[in-house]
Amino acid sequence: MAGATSPSAAANLAGKSGVRVVVIGDPGTGKSSLVVALATEQFPENVPRVMPPTRLPADYFPDRVPITIIDTSSSPEQKPKLIAECQAADAVVLTYACDRPATLERLSSFWLPELRRLQTPVIVVGCKLDLRDEQQVSLEQVMAPIMQSFREIETCIECSALRQIQVPEVFYYAQKAVLHPTAPLFDQEAQSLKPRCVRALKRIFILCDNDKDGALSDVELNEFQVRCFSAPLQPTEISGVKRVVQEKMPEGVNDNGLTLTGFLFLHALFIEKGRLETTWTVLRKFGYDNDIKLRDDLIAMPIKRAPDQTLELTSEVVDFLRGIFNMFDVDNDGALLPSELEDLFSTAPENPWSSDPYKDCAEKNVLGGLSLEGFLSKWALMTLRDPTNSYANLVYVGYPGEFSSAFTVTRKRRVGRKKQQTQRNVFQCYVFGARGSGKTSLLQSFIGRQPSDALPSNSERFATNSVELPDGTRKTLILREIPEGDVRSLLSDRESLAPCDVAVFVYDSCDEYSWQRARDLLVQVATHGENTGYEVPCLIVAAKDDLDQCAQALQESTRVSHDMGIETPIPISVKLRDLNNIFCRIVHAAQQPHLSIPETEAGKTRRQYRQLLNRSLMVVSVGAAVAVVGIAAYRVYAARKNSSS
């Protein structure tokens, strides 16, 4: 496996139409002389203090990407301009003078700490090589400790503008640092491929292993070579590649061909030898960007939807996910252990469920295993919250279809309300309530956890699971807890209730204040729905039913539910595990989007006004129709009278 990027393709593959390089360093270190020597290929007698921008044409280097070189001044009054140029740079050439050790020391004490904030690749250049004392230690000895401390240094090189020694190479390495950077691929300290690079190369290996035997045969290796480098390998070259791998790493080759271990070893070898362009070409041919993620244009969401429309996984994708669940359930226990789940996502940049809100949002068994229903529920949640990320991870784990075949767009909720039915399979429920009311316990019980179990530290909590209905069908329910302090911010967004299928208001049945807050929140949500047109079915849940109830709260909650036209409060006790079939009732309310919609006093007044207005218009319309009929009858009568006379 060998080759280089075709000259005309490098810029497109890297997403760069040009490279901007800024030259900085202490006064008198040779910055301007370096730029002039490159542009004129000779050492000038009179060098200006700061050179104007120098542009190298696309054909100056093999990658055929034009370069703009910006010379800078180190004077204090020019510092704002220097900072601006560095911020706009793709790469920085940092100079020191080989004959002035103090300028070398300034790299670590001043320049490199300042540049670290920019996270821009740096090329350290020792200028005036012709003046260096031959007694001085080698470049490797000088720069090794500095490169150890500052990993953003891509390359170190010495040059002489006077002698024309390695002047073009300085800017070749600067361009290379932008088009083929080391940092995303290789850990210099550990001397190994970085995890994200390994995961991407593993995915590429699996895609090229057509017969799925765990090795790239000679035919598969040649197809890979042609795809990436547009040139086949000769049989002797393939044998040579495998021989090199086998000598260094015997497990890298087996009877079937080059194994994943051998494939990764080859790329590490290329990088160690400075041939980063080989690995970058492979990654970019398979759609990866400089962050070693699939490019946005490959995973972008082309589907337009209204605020009250959501995306759901198609049956094709659900079948695909069932298949990979079974594939990675190595012990066939019907659950994915954490190690099995990590293996499933080992071809993605990272496990998308390793952090909140996905980490603890679904039910697990005592060993931490995730059931198939929990697995599919997590995918449903990710699709609801971030369809683009959901599709990207589907592709990472092997889904071959297009975005349009992965998701279906649900009908608008407003339409569902008019038709008095919904076609959705995934419902999102917002859970409101005062602090300590039992919201979190409700979410915990939904995924089989105890209220005392550890919770995510952030304010946004989700719980998702499959709910079996009385008719035997299953729907996915997603509970989203809305912290009391976040309600104002949530309702400041006009479309905040658009993705909500049903809202639940939880109160502590033995605490009157808890009920008062739940009532206030219910009124706020109902008012917001009436004002925006995004009304949602609502339920009231009286939690902690195992404790002594507050009679005042019970009477008041019953009266308010009656006045607002929704179901009376549903008592539950998480402690006694008496949940009163609450989750089925939530799904049932969501399935009937025209019912259980609370009506405020202001809403009733508006409704009555509209009804009165409609009746008035109807009377006017009937009166007008009678008048028209009367006029027509008179005309007929008059016409007959005239004809008879």
Side-chain angles (χ1 to χ4, degrees):
M1 181 177 63
T5 315
S6 61
S8 61
N12 291 333
L13 291 173
K16 287 284 182 183
S17 58
V19 172
R20 187 178 183 87
V21 179
V22 171
V23 184
I24 67 173
D26 281 345
T29 53
K31 302 187 299 295
S32 299
S33 297
L34 177 64
V35 176
V36 173
L38 176 73
T40 63
E41 297 186 355
Q42 61 183 359
F43 186 78
E45 294 183 3
N46 298 310
V47 179
R49 292 189 64 182
V50 178
M51 282 286 295
T54 299
R55 292 176 175 81
L56 301 182
D59 59 358
Y60 197 92
F61 292 125
D63 281 326
R64 300 188 65 83
V65 179
I67 302 177
T68 300
I69 302 168
I70 308 296
D71 190 13
T72 61
S73 170
S74 304
S75 62
E77 60 270 18
Q78 292 295 318
K79 186 175 181 179
K81 184 176 181 181
L82 173 66
I83 293 173
E85 290 291 2
C86 288
Q87 290 173 336
D90 296 310
V92 172
V93 168
L94 175 59
T95 64
Y96 70 94
C98 292
D99 63 332
R100 293 168 55 195
T103 62
L104 176 62
E105 294 172 3
R106 283 261 297 168
L107 300 184
S108 299
S109 64
F110 175 73
W111 287 106
L112 289 168
E114 289 290 320
L115 290 172
R116 172 158 284 174
R117 304 170 190 170
L118 301 178
Q119 298 183 333
T120 303
V122 177
I123 311 299
V124 173
V125 180
C127 297
K128 305 184 181 183
L129 176 60
D130 53 288
L131 299 180
R132 185 162 73 99
D133 187 347
E134 294 185 3
Q135 300 297 322
Q136 289 180 331
V137 296
S138 67
L139 177 65
E140 290 75 14
Q141 291 174 300
V142 169
M143 292 306 304
I146 299 177
M147 294 187 72
Q148 187 78 13
S149 300
F150 297 94
R151 296 294 178 183
E152 55 269 38
I153 299 175
E154 285 278 338
T155 308
C156 298
I157 185 174
E158 293 178 327
C159 70
S160 170
L162 177 64
R163 305 291 185 192
Q164 285 289 314
I165 299 173
Q166 297 199 129
V167 172
E169 284 82 349
V170 169
F171 298 97
Y172 169 74
Y173 285 122
Q175 182 195 69
K176 187 176 180 181
V178 177
L179 301 181
H180 314 297
T182 304
L185 304 182
F186 200 73
D187 187 329
Q188 298 279 14
E189 188 170 350
Q191 286 294 293
S192 62
L193 296 173
K194 286 192 172 180
R196 186 172 283 193
C197 179
V198 170
R199 297 165 83 96
L201 291 174
K202 180 179 179 180
R203 174 175 172 266
I204 292 169
F205 178 90
I206 292 172
L207 290 174
C208 295
D209 181 17
N210 298 321
D211 56 10
K212 306 304 176 189
D213 64 351
L216 297 183
S217 66
D218 290 1
V219 172
E220 291 168 338
L221 199 56
N222 202 41
E223 290 175 351
F224 164 81
Q225 174 75 14
V226 171
R227 175 172 179 173
C228 293
F229 305 105
S230 303
L233 286 172
Q234 297 302 314
T236 54
E237 292 175 308
I238 294 177
S239 299
V241 168
K242 292 194 291 187
R243 184 168 57 252
V244 168
V245 174
Q246 200 159 29
E247 289 174 356
K248 300 288 185 180
M249 188 168 288
E251 64 270 28
V253 177
N254 63 21
D255 293 340
N256 295 324
L258 186 71
T259 66
L260 174 61
T261 302
F263 187 73
L264 296 175
F265 169 78
L266 273 179
H267 283 282
L269 188 63
F270 290 142
I271 294 170
E272 287 174 4
K273 291 187 175 182
R275 293 174 55 188
L276 290 94
E277 64 274 11
T278 299
T279 300
W280 274 117
T281 299
V282 171
L283 291 169
R284 286 166 180 154
K285 283 291 186 180
F286 280 85
Y288 287 89
D289 61 16
N290 281 3
D291 294 322
I292 316 187
K293 297 189 299 183
L294 288 175
R295 298 194 315 269
D296 290 343
D297 62 291
L298 298 177
I299 57 173
M301 183 174 65
I303 299 177
K304 293 183 178 180
R305 55 196 171 104
D308 58 347
Q309 289 180 292
T310 59
L311 296 187
E312 294 182 5
L313 300 170
T314 61
S315 57
E316 174 190 327
V317 169
V318 172
D319 289 342
F320 166 79
L321 291 174
R322 290 179 188 274
I324 65 167
F325 179 93
N326 293 328
M327 181 189 305
F328 284 90
D329 182 16
V330 179
D331 53 6
N332 294 315
D333 64 346
L336 291 181
L337 294 171
S339 59
E340 293 171 332
L341 194 62
E342 284 296 329
D343 193 25
L344 187 152
F345 283 116
S346 64
T347 50
E350 51 269 325
N351 180 345
W353 299 344
S354 62
S355 57
D356 298 331
Y358 303 107
K359 185 178 180 180
D360 295 310
C361 71
E363 188 170 4
K364 299 176 184 177
N365 62 24
V366 292
L367 298 177
L370 186 67
S371 68
L372 175 61
E373 294 300 330
F375 179 71
L376 294 175
S377 295
K378 282 197 176 190
W379 279 102
L381 173 59
M382 187 159 61
T383 301
L384 180 76
R385 295 186 74 243
D386 189 352
T388 300
N389 186 39
S390 180
Y391 178 67
N393 279 283
L394 283 171
V395 174
Y396 287 132
V397 300
Y399 177 66
E402 298 293 328
F403 189 101
S404 57
S405 65
F407 305 114
T408 180
V409 183
T410 63
R411 190 166 63 188
K412 294 179 181 179
R413 274 202 313 108
R414 291 180 180 181
V415 175
R417 193 162 63 246
K418 289 179 181 178
K419 292 182 176 291
Q420 301 187 2
Q421 62 176 352
T422 181
Q423 299 172 330
R424 298 187 179 194
N425 295 306
V426 179
F427 298 104
Q428 179 169 209
C429 171
Y430 287 4
V431 182
F432 296 90
R435 184 179 179 86
S437 62
K439 306 189 300 295
T440 303
S441 296
L442 180 64
L443 267 71
Q444 294 284 74
S445 67
F446 186 43
I447 53 178
R449 299 182 59 157
Q450 295 300 315
S452 58
D453 288 347
L455 295 170
S457 57
N458 67 338
S459 61
E460 191 174 36
R461 294 175 185 147
F462 288 85
T464 180
N465 211 338
S466 174
V467 176
E468 185 173 2
L469 301 178
D471 62 1
T473 61
R474 283 188 172 273
K475 301 294 181 182
T476 299
L477 176 61
I478 296 169
L479 302 181
R480 177 187 173 186
E481 180 179 345
I482 310 297
E484 185 181 6
D486 292 354
V487 174
R488 181 187 297 272
S489 174
L490 176 77
L491 298 183
S492 66
D493 179 1
R494 178 178 176 81
E495 298 174 351
S496 58
L497 295 180
C500 175
D501 296 291
V502 57
V504 166
F505 298 83
V506 182
Y507 75 94
D508 181 345
S509 59
C510 59
D511 184 350
E512 185 176 356
Y513 171 77
S514 181
W515 155 246
Q516 291 172 353
R517 282 299 296 143
R519 178 198 60 202
D520 293 344
L521 293 170
L522 172 60
V523 172
Q524 290 177 42
V525 170
T527 300
H528 187 274
E530 290 171 346
N531 292 338
T532 62
Y534 295 119
E535 298 101 325
V536 295
C538 294
L539 298 175
I540 301 174
V541 172
K544 306 181 185 181
D545 191 46
D546 52 288
L547 302 178
D548 293 336
Q549 293 189 0
C550 172
Q552 183 69 24
L554 177 61
Q555 294 173 6
E556 183 71 10
S557 61
T558 302
R559 182 189 65 78
V560 168
S561 61
H562 180 268
D563 289 348
M564 299 188 77
I566 61 177
E567 186 179 347
T568 56
I570 304 168
I572 67 168
S573 171
V574 173
K575 183 178 180 179
L576 299 179
R577 298 185 180 181
D578 180 10
L579 298 178
N580 207 355
N581 209 24
I582 183 62
F583 304 117
C584 281
R585 294 169 83 161
I586 291 173
V587 172
H588 183 68
Q591 286 182 309
Q592 301 184 85
H594 60 297
L595 301 178
S596 301
I597 295 177
E599 191 173 37
T600 65
E601 290 301 321
K604 289 179 182 178
T605 301
R606 280 196 295 268
R607 175 171 56 81
Q608 292 168 355
Y609 174 76
R610 285 196 300 269
Q611 290 174 345
L612 178 62
L613 183 63
N614 289 337
R615 282 198 296 268
S616 299
L617 291 174
M618 187 177 296
V619 170
V620 171
S621 298
V622 170
V626 170
V628 169
V629 171
I631 292 172
Y634 174 77
R635 287 176 177 171
V636 170
Y637 168 75
R640 287 178 177 175
K641 185 176 182 180
N642 291 335
S643 61
S644 62
S645 61

